């Protein structure tokens, strides 16, 4: 079945978004369509302000061709990550590159109204920053540390966000910022960010695993984000892990992965190791008045503390054991490990890899790579921005783009 004109426009737009500038002859050859039709579609997107023809391409004889490029500077997007213990906000261009960012600790239990009030203040500050893009704001994307019904942008029974159940986050963001907004689970957004701008750009089937204050996974299948029927695909936090002393999870059950392999779990265990004296390094920090957290476990392990090292190994095995089933079931080519806990480094990563290979089918791991995330602290912002960008950069919205304010 031949693609329609709109499909051709989307294909051309995506090529220029994700692979860089190209001449019209090169684009015509790549899409296999007629030169006249390709030129028509490119000109429509130039008129809409999304493309520009302003670079000299390589000549193969005759008239020197010009390269067509995607205009990342044509608009700006706000990317927001609302975590269980902090908020991250940034403004990006249409390529998802953050120009200004902000992070602060924040207790989401203060509720959605207080949180959105603070987000509005932060966005105002960022937009006034001289480094912020001058292009008009065209969309807002947000990732929440909660199960999210993507169609409505509402969190559903969020275990780490009390008071947010059913709150119309998407509608409220649209009302406050005067542009369209999209809201997703934060880990799904991070997976999309890695797919568009990180290590997974060449992976059609991969998993993004966030090890932060909580635990979650985002799934990409055949090059597209897989949210599932109701938006909760990839919720691995409440898989039961094998342990003799199952800890109580915030969901009310015992032995969940989140209760044993999250930042909250490492913080709990760090304090226990300090109190019992099993970790001299952590005990010394506690005696000096340090409020121990997951990062201190990493520091202790790097300093050679045996108890902290064993704790990271155990955490990695919990994660890898849980992932082993998913790897056999989903058969990804890549697993990307992100989130604050992932900064624990090689000790944790090696334990994850060992357990995944041990508990997965050999065929499922034949070409599997397990790597740390590339986007670092900006992963949530970039992923949220792409959640909005993929929605607004659709070929069926060219009329909308043509009606936007003049763009430099």
């Amino acid at each position: 079945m031949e693609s329609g004109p709109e499909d051709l426009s989307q294909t051309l737009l995506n090529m220029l978004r994700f692979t860089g500038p190209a001449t019209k002859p090169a684009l015509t050859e790549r899409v296999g369509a007629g030169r006249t039709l390709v030129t028509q579609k490119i000109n429509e997107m130039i008129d809409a302000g999304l493309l520009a023809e302003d670079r000299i391409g390589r000549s193969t004889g005759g008239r020197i061709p010009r390269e067509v490029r995607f205009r990342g500077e044509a608009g700006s997007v706000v990317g927001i990550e609302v975590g269980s213990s902090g908020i991250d906000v940034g403004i990006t261009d249409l390529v998802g590159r953050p120009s200004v960012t902000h992070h602060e600790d924040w207790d989401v239990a203060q509720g959605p109204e207080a949180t959105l009030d603070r987000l509005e203040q932060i966005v105002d500050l960022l937009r006034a920053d001289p480094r912020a893009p001058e292009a008009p704001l065209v969309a807002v994307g947000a990732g929440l540390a909660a199960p999210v019904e993507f169609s409505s942008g509402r969190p559903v029974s969020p275990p780490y966000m009390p008071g947010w159940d059913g709150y119309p986050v998407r509608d409220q963001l649209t009302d406050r910022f005067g542009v369209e907004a999209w809201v997703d689970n934060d880990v799904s957004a991070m997976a999309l960010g890695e797919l568009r701008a990180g290590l997974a750009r060449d992976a059609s089937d991969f998993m993004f695993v966030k090890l932060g204050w909580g635990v979650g996974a985002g799934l990409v299948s055949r090059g597209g984000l897989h949210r599932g029927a109701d938006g909760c695909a990839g919720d691995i936090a409440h898989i039961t892990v094998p342990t003799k002393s199952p800890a109580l999870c915030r969901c009310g059950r015992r032995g969940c992965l989140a209760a044993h392999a999250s930042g909250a779990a490492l913080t709990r265990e760090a304090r226990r190791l300090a109190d019992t004296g099993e970790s001299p390094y952590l005990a010394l920090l506690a005696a000096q008045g340090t409020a121990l957290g997951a990062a201190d476990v990493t520091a202790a392990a790097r300093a050679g503390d045996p108890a902290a090292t064993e704790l990271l190994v155990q955490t990695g095995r919990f994660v890898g054991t849980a992932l082993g089933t998913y790897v056999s079931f989903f058969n990804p080519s890549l697993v990307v490990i992100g989130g604050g806990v992932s900064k624990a480094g090689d000790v944790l990563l090696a334990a994850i890899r060992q357990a995944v290979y041990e508990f997965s089918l050999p065929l499922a791991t034949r070409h599997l790579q397990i790597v740390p995330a590339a986007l670092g602290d900006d992963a949530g912002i970039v992923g949220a921005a792409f959640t909005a960008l993929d929605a607004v950069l659709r070929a069926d919205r060219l009329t909308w783009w043509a009606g936007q304010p003049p763009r430099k």
Side-chain angles (χ1 to χ4, degrees):
M1 180 181 296
E2 293 185 2
S3 297
E6 196 171 281
D7 294 332
L8 176 60
S9 295
Q10 191 69 66
T11 298
L12 291 166
L13 181 59
N14 288 347
M15 281 183 177
L16 294 166
R17 279 182 69 192
F18 303 131
T19 63
T23 64
K24 288 180 183 177
L27 290 168
T28 299
E29 182 178 350
R30 285 161 64 181
V31 299
R35 181 179 63 183
T36 300
L37 183 58
V38 169
T39 299
Q40 175 192 335
K41 294 304 170 185
I42 289 174
N43 288 341
E44 287 176 357
M45 289 186 278
I46 289 175
D47 292 341
L50 287 175
L51 303 181
E53 190 179 16
D54 57 5
R55 294 176 54 176
I56 302 297
R58 179 181 299 177
S59 175
T60 57
R63 187 176 179 180
I64 299 176
R66 288 187 173 273
E67 284 189 331
V68 181
R69 68 174 179 88
F70 175 67
R71 297 187 68 241
E73 73 277 13
S76 62
V77 172
V78 169
I80 297 169
E81 179 188 7
V82 180
S84 53
S85 59
I87 48 181
D88 290 89
V89 186
I91 300 179
T92 81
D93 59 11
L94 298 186
V95 187
R97 293 176 297 219
S99 55
V100 285
T101 61
H102 175 86
H103 168 80
E104 67 180 56
D105 294 336
W106 181 262
D107 182 5
V108 291
Q110 294 185 62
E113 292 292 340
T115 301
L116 291 175
D117 286 345
R118 181 56 187 150
L119 289 173
E120 197 170 358
Q121 295 168 3
I122 294 170
V123 171
D124 287 343
L125 290 172
L126 292 179
R127 294 182 73 180
D129 191 305
R131 298 169 297 169
E134 296 181 5
L137 181 66
V138 297
V140 173
L144 309 182
V148 173
E149 183 183 62
F150 184 72
S151 60
S152 66
R154 295 170 182 254
V156 179
S157 301
Y160 297 105
M161 300 178 72
W164 289 71
D165 184 28
Y167 187 82
V169 178
R170 177 177 177 175
D171 293 342
Q172 285 295 313
L173 288 173
T174 296
D175 289 345
R176 287 172 181 258
F177 294 106
V179 294
E180 290 181 277
W182 283 266
V183 180
D184 204 350
N185 168 262
D186 60 342
V187 191
S188 290
M190 290 178 180
L192 184 61
E194 285 288 339
L195 176 66
R196 297 288 182 241
L199 294 174
R201 279 175 285 192
D202 297 324
S204 61
D205 298 275
F206 83 96
M207 293 179 63
F208 181 93
V209 179
K210 179 188 176 184
L211 303 177
W213 191 250
V215 178
L219 307 179
V220 169
S221 177
R222 296 186 179 183
L225 193 61
H226 177 72
R227 296 186 176 93
D230 297 303
C232 66
D235 189 351
I236 63 173
H238 305 291
I239 293 176
T240 302
V241 296
T243 175
K244 295 179 180 178
S245 303
L248 181 66
C249 182
R250 294 183 69 165
C251 73
R253 295 181 296 179
R254 288 187 176 273
C256 295
L257 180 63
H260 291 277
S262 61
L266 284 176
T267 297
R268 179 193 70 234
E269 290 301 299
R271 294 168 181 170
R272 182 186 65 79
L273 292 176
D275 291 343
T276 62
E278 293 176 62
S279 169
Y281 186 101
L282 294 173
L284 178 60
L285 287 181
Q288 294 172 344
T290 300
L292 296 176
D296 297 306
V297 177
T298 299
R302 288 175 176 166
D305 185 278
T309 301
E310 177 57 30
L311 176 56
L312 289 182
V313 170
Q314 176 180 275
T315 299
R317 284 196 62 80
F318 283 141
V319 174
T321 301
L323 289 182
T325 300
Y326 270 79
V327 165
S328 293
F329 175 76
F330 182 50
N331 191 203
S333 63
L334 179 69
V335 174
V336 179
I337 309 292
V341 174
S342 70
K343 296 177 181 178
D346 292 342
V347 172
L348 178 73
L349 196 61
I352 293 174
R353 285 174 177 150
Q354 182 179 7
V356 167
Y357 290 131
E358 182 179 341
F359 291 100
S360 301
L361 295 172
L363 181 59
T365 57
R366 178 181 291 179
H367 300 108
L368 178 67
Q369 296 183 62
I370 303 174
V371 298
L375 297 178
D377 293 336
D378 289 337
I381 292 171
V382 173
F386 274 109
T387 300
L389 285 169
D390 277 12
V392 296
L393 292 172
R394 297 199 314 261
D396 59 2
R397 296 176 65 95
L398 290 184
T399 302
W400 179 85
W401 276 101
Q404 290 302 296
R407 296 168 287 275
K408 293 185 177 181

